[in-house]
Amino acid sequence: MKIGIVVMQVMFSLTSFAQTNLIQNGDFENNICPTGFGQIGNAIGWSSPTDGTPELFSSCATLSAISVPGNLGGWQQAHSSNSYAGINSFQQINYREYIQNELIDTLQAGKKYILTFNVSLGEVGSYANNSIGALFSDTLLSMQLNATTIPLAPLFENTGIALTDTGNWQTICDTIIATGGEKFVSIGCFRNDDSVDTISSVGSFPKAYYFIDDVSLYEDTTTSINEYKKNKLDCYPNPFINNVYFNLDSYRSFGCTVYNLMGEKVFEQKIYNERFIDLSNLGTGIYLLELKNEKQIFSCRLIKF
């Protein structure tokens, strides 16, 4: 399965991030098998912050409308395992649905965290929209809004690219800075009808419906690339599929290391005369490539499709 990548100001670290995912049950797999509609609360750690009715879809469900891969939202395999969530992110007269998670730990003021989640547009809707974001709060939200837009500003929002892919998962990833005390996160569209950018999609119902899976939040406890004195490396093509080439005139011998988004080393090789590396064995995702010898360090950010 192919996965698209949407990157929003991600800052990569030189060493490992904290390894604890602060999202409870980010893959929605720890759940009581849903038997009806609007049962996101059957997934441990998840709830609806309003009186909207987000769905929990799972392959264990006997009701076909809430099963996986085919269901009321369309057809999609889980990004991982067997379950995922579904929300109406846009429907006229400001109808909205959100999913809310109680974090494993409270966020600390001034610290940086990396939030990632995967979305896929359901075929049921006639719209796609780009304004899916995340709102962090210090208390559990329980708003009686008749399933309308939450009147609060999200800490981050994807506004750059319309999320239009119905066949594949697209990954949204952003770095946030905590104000302190945040214990809950809600995901959805926080814009009213008149400020949402929409485009036409394949479905017949006048709404934008999205599947959501594999939500993660990691603390970044290390120095970022923007704060560490390095030489920028020109890497291409980027995004890439198999080989990555780089322009480097000086120094013939380098140690080449590639890290994933969590700072884990996923590739290591000694470079002599080569000006490319084969990264075909890596999975789809976001990576940091580092070339280092006794005199200099070069780095670039990579996206693999």
Side-chain angles (χ1 to χ4, degrees):
M1 181 183 299
K2 295 181 179 178
I3 306 170
I5 301 287
V6 180
V7 184
M8 300 177 62
Q9 300 177 351
V10 179
M11 299 175 72
F12 289 85
S13 294
L14 302 178
T15 55
S16 137
F17 298 117
Q19 297 301 305
T20 301
N21 183 3
L22 297 178
I23 299 291
Q24 285 194 69
N25 191 25
D27 59 5
F28 302 92
E29 297 303 318
N30 187 9
N31 63 59
I32 300 170
C33 190
T35 57
F37 302 115
Q39 294 185 350
I40 190 63
N42 282 24
I44 304 302
W46 292 95
S47 63
S48 173
T50 71
D51 44 10
T53 55
E55 302 295 344
L56 173 64
F57 299 111
S58 181
S59 60
C60 68
T62 57
L63 181 63
S64 61
I66 54 172
S67 189
V68 170
N71 50 59
L72 62 84
W75 194 100
Q76 183 59 273
Q77 296 283 0
H79 183 259
S80 66
S81 301
N82 303 297
S83 303
Y84 50 76
I87 62 169
N88 270 316
S89 73
F90 167 80
Q91 192 167 339
Q92 291 181 346
I93 319 180
N94 293 317
Y95 180 83
R96 303 288 185 271
E97 293 173 352
Y98 305 87
I99 54 174
Q100 177 176 232
N101 187 268
E102 181 175 2
L103 304 178
I104 291 175
D105 200 3
T106 303
L107 303 190
Q108 298 183 41
K111 287 193 173 182
K112 292 184 293 188
Y113 298 85
I114 294 181
L115 176 68
T116 306
F117 57 94
N118 300 275
V119 301
S120 181
L121 179 64
E123 294 92 337
V124 66
S126 60
Y127 294 106
N129 75 284
N130 60 353
S131 305
I132 295 180
L135 169 71
F136 288 82
S137 59
D138 56 2
T139 58
L140 180 74
L141 298 183
S142 182
M143 298 182 172
Q144 303 302 311
L145 298 171
N146 294 320
T148 56
T149 308
I150 291 178
L152 299 171
L155 188 56
F156 102 91
E157 181 183 58
N158 169 57
T159 57
I161 299 175
L163 303 170
T164 58
D165 201 331
T166 59
N168 307 296
W169 291 95
Q170 294 177 269
T171 299
I172 298 176
C173 183
D174 196 17
T175 296
I176 65 167
I177 300 177
T179 57
E182 296 94 334
K183 181 62 176 174
F184 300 87
V185 60
S186 298
I187 297 173
C189 177
F190 297 86
R191 291 175 176 257
N192 289 321
D193 290 351
D194 57 2
S195 62
V196 174
D197 294 327
T198 61
I199 63 172
S200 296
S201 187
V202 297
S204 56
F205 289 89
K207 60 183 178 181
Y209 196 88
Y210 285 92
F211 304 125
I212 301 175
D213 201 2
D214 285 336
V215 186
S216 66
L217 181 69
Y218 290 95
E219 179 187 345
D220 180 357
T221 60
T222 58
T223 304
S224 75
I225 291 298
N226 289 355
E227 297 165 350
Y228 189 87
K229 298 302 181 182
K230 283 192 165 190
N231 298 294
K232 185 177 179 181
L233 182 66
D234 184 18
C235 299
Y236 60 94
N238 197 11
F240 74 98
I241 297 176
N242 295 314
N243 292 337
V244 174
Y245 298 82
F246 38 85
N247 292 327
L248 193 63
D249 296 328
S250 60
Y251 304 111
R252 299 171 64 88
S253 177
F254 282 89
C256 176
T257 308
V258 178
Y259 301 91
N260 64 16
L261 188 60
M262 294 171 58
E264 300 168 333
K265 186 186 299 183
V266 295
F267 177 89
E268 190 170 29
Q269 178 179 307
K270 192 71 173 178
I271 299 292
Y272 294 99
N273 297 313
E274 300 89 348
R275 288 297 178 264
F276 76 94
I277 53 174
D278 181 359
L279 298 179
S280 58
N281 289 332
L282 296 184
T284 299
I286 307 169
Y287 297 93
L288 168 70
L289 183 151
E290 181 180 274
L291 297 181
K292 182 178 181 180
N293 65 12
E294 68 280 1
K295 296 184 178 181
Q296 285 186 286
I297 302 176
F298 296 85
S299 68
C300 69
R301 182 180 64 189
L302 297 172
I303 303 171
K304 181 171 183 183
F305 281 170

